[in-house]
Amino acid sequence: MEQQEAFTKVVNIIKPFVRNEEALKNASQQTRILEDLGVNSARLVDIVLNFEDEFGIEIDDESADKVRTLGDAVQVIVSKTAH
Amino acid sequence: MALGSKERFKIEFQRCVDRALFPFTAVYAIVWLRVVNRFKIPNIKEIRRKFAELESQGTGPLLICGNHLTLVDTVIKEWALTSNARYLRRFSLFPWSLPEKKNFANHWFWKVAAYLGKCIYIVRKGPPEETKLVLDKVKYLLERGEAVSIFPEGGRSRVGRVDTENFAYGTGKIIQSVANPRVLCVFLRGKHQREYTDFPMRGEEFYVDIEMIHPRSPHKGLRADRDLATQVIQKLAEMEKRFFEVVRPEWHMPERNESSPALM
């Protein structure tokens, strides 16, 4: 999967959990999900599970823990869909 | 991953110290609860009888999950569940707790109280490695037959009631980590408690209810974490609803306070 396509889908999945919508409009790969977008940390698991459903992949705890930025999420998804 | 020998030693050492000093800690706690603060639990005999009955019905690891509105909910729960004499006889029943470090490590008194009260600090939103170490300690304790008390909401509820929307899934991870866990759901509510505070008001009258559940999930990994944590939260919410609708309708269930900031 292309990075840009994954990025667009990631942003759409995260959108309902975002409290700082202004930050989402200007989001980049470096945007931090918790700090910049104001996502509740308890909802990160929901986001990861939505990634699994959307992309048909399985994300283990270790990979999920590494997701801090939108770019991290894209990397995990691209690497899992490549297999 | 199994807990390292250094961490195991620290836990065992703390347990020995806490056990040795428990008669003093217990007296201090009772004076603080009943004399200084004049707290009351009118149905305490019924709860202690029910806890003894429920606890004797199984042998699996015992995880105690309560709703959370004040910083001293743990102490009140411990007081409600059984007598200090019974804790002394079966010290494994006196539960380990996981208080937020920033609330209980900023003054020598709280540090001592936390150490003697079988506490392991947790840092909310801390680095994943630190959180994992705490979870490994909890797993070790549960498998060793020690009761552990946690708050499945992940912090004091900002909505004044059991928070069924903004709860963490760590409870599910703990339940998944051990075989045949028993989860004791404890609903605690002060008569005058409208929203979350540091302490209940002096003279507060508490109502306590308990139920044992055995959560299971057909899922694995993160999905199971969410499923199991949700089962615990739903049970607590159900106990709260029953309390306000049937047991004490005159206490009035507070409206869900949507303006309060959600837990981070």
Side-chain angles (χ1 to χ4, degrees), chain B residues 3-14:
Chain B
L3 196 63
S5 56
K6 188 180 165 192
E7 294 299 333
R8 286 204 306 270
F9 174 79
K10 279 158 72 174
I11 285 177
E12 296 300 338
F13 183 77
Q14 183 178 355

Side-chain angles (χ1 to χ4, degrees), chain B:
Chain B
M1 202 203 308
L3 196 63
S5 56
K6 188 180 165 192
E7 294 299 333
R8 286 204 306 270
F9 174 79
K10 279 158 72 174
I11 285 177
E12 296 300 338
F13 183 77
Q14 183 178 355
R15 188 185 190 280
C16 286
V17 173
D18 294 357
R19 172 70 180 74
L21 297 179
F22 186 73
F24 305 102
T25 316
V27 168
Y28 185 87
I30 285 297
V31 169
W32 187 82
L33 288 163
R34 299 184 63 173
V35 180
V36 177
N37 285 292
R38 297 186 183 174
F39 292 151
K40 295 179 282 290
I41 305 177
N43 65 336
I44 195 166
K45 281 186 183 167
E46 176 201 335
I47 290 303
R48 288 181 174 183
R49 184 194 50 72
K50 194 172 170 185
F51 176 64
E53 188 184 319
L54 290 173
E55 199 280 318
S56 67
Q57 285 169 357
T59 54
L62 181 63
L63 185 66
I64 300 171
C65 293
N67 61 316
H68 197 18
L69 285 170
T70 79
L71 292 177
V72 292
D73 288 345
T74 300
V75 186
I76 298 164
K77 270 194 309 184
E78 287 161 357
W79 174 35
L81 290 178
T82 197
S83 66
N84 286 324
R86 185 154 184 251
Y87 280 138
L88 203 55
R89 285 196 303 275
R90 265 189 72 190
F91 199 53
S92 58
L93 269 190
F94 184 69
W96 290 80
S97 308
L98 311 179
E100 164 73 26
K101 191 173 184 177
K102 76 172 166 42
N103 291 334
F104 288 94
N106 52 6
H107 189 278
W108 68 267
F109 176 81
W110 287 116
K111 282 185 186 174
V112 172
Y115 191 85
L116 296 179
K118 286 175 106 176
C119 292
I120 296 169
Y121 289 129
I122 191 161
V123 179
R124 199 179 301 146
K125 291 172 70 181
E129 313 80 57
E130 272 189 39
T131 307
K132 192 178 174 314
L133 178 62
V134 173
L135 292 176
D136 286 344
K137 288 179 183 177
V138 169
K139 179 177 187 288
Y140 170 76
L141 289 165
L142 287 170
E143 286 177 339
R144 199 186 173 288
E146 295 278 315
V148 176
S149 174
I150 61 170
F151 294 108
E153 290 162 287
R156 286 171 290 167
S157 170
R158 265 51 175 174
V159 295
R161 291 160 51 179
V162 174
D163 194 341
T164 53
E165 289 173 17
N166 290 304
F167 59 97
Y169 300 151
T171 306
K173 204 174 278 301
I174 292 171
I175 293 171
Q176 249 199 114
S177 72
V178 291
N180 302 315
R182 298 176 293 162
V183 177
L184 184 80
C185 294
V186 182
F187 174 71
L188 169 75
R189 186 89 203 189
K191 187 174 185 176
H192 302 91
Q193 196 74 37
R194 307 304 297 171
E195 57 188 354
Y196 85 100
T197 56
D198 284 351
F199 298 97
M201 63 172 278
R202 191 162 180 262
E204 182 63 293
E205 176 184 330
F206 296 95
Y207 170 84
V208 183
D209 190 14
I210 57 174
E211 272 193 47
M212 190 77 87
I213 60 171
H214 301 84
R216 299 287 183 269
S217 174
H219 304 292
K220 288 179 180 171
L222 296 172
R223 212 170 288 273
D225 292 348
R226 179 168 70 179
D227 185 19
L228 294 164
T230 303
Q231 290 177 40
V232 175
I233 285 290
Q234 282 177 345
K235 173 52 74 178
L236 286 170
E238 181 192 312
M239 292 165 81
E240 179 181 67
K241 187 166 183 280
R242 184 174 64 220
F243 170 73
F244 282 114
E245 287 183 1
V246 181
V247 185
R248 293 278 193 285
E250 69 278 13
W251 282 22
H252 305 295
M253 178 150 62
E255 289 299 314
R256 193 180 158 85
N257 184 0
E258 301 292 354
S259 61
S260 297
L263 282 176
M264 288 297 288

Side-chain angles (χ1 to χ4, degrees), chain A residues 36-76:
Chain A
D36 299 335
L37 299 179
V39 170
N40 182 333
S41 61
R43 298 287 73 81
L44 255 186
V45 174
D46 294 307
I47 290 170
V48 170
L49 292 175
N50 287 352
F51 291 160
E52 289 188 349
D53 293 339
E54 173 68 27
F55 297 100
I57 54 174
E58 276 191 28
I59 301 174
D60 52 81
D61 284 14
E62 209 171 304
S63 303
D65 283 344
K66 288 179 187 158
V67 176
R68 307 277 170 91
T69 65
L70 295 178
D72 294 338
V74 169
Q75 288 305 323
V76 168

Side-chain angles (χ1 to χ4, degrees), chain A residues 1 32 58:
Chain A
M1 176 175 291
R32 295 170 301 174
E58 276 191 28

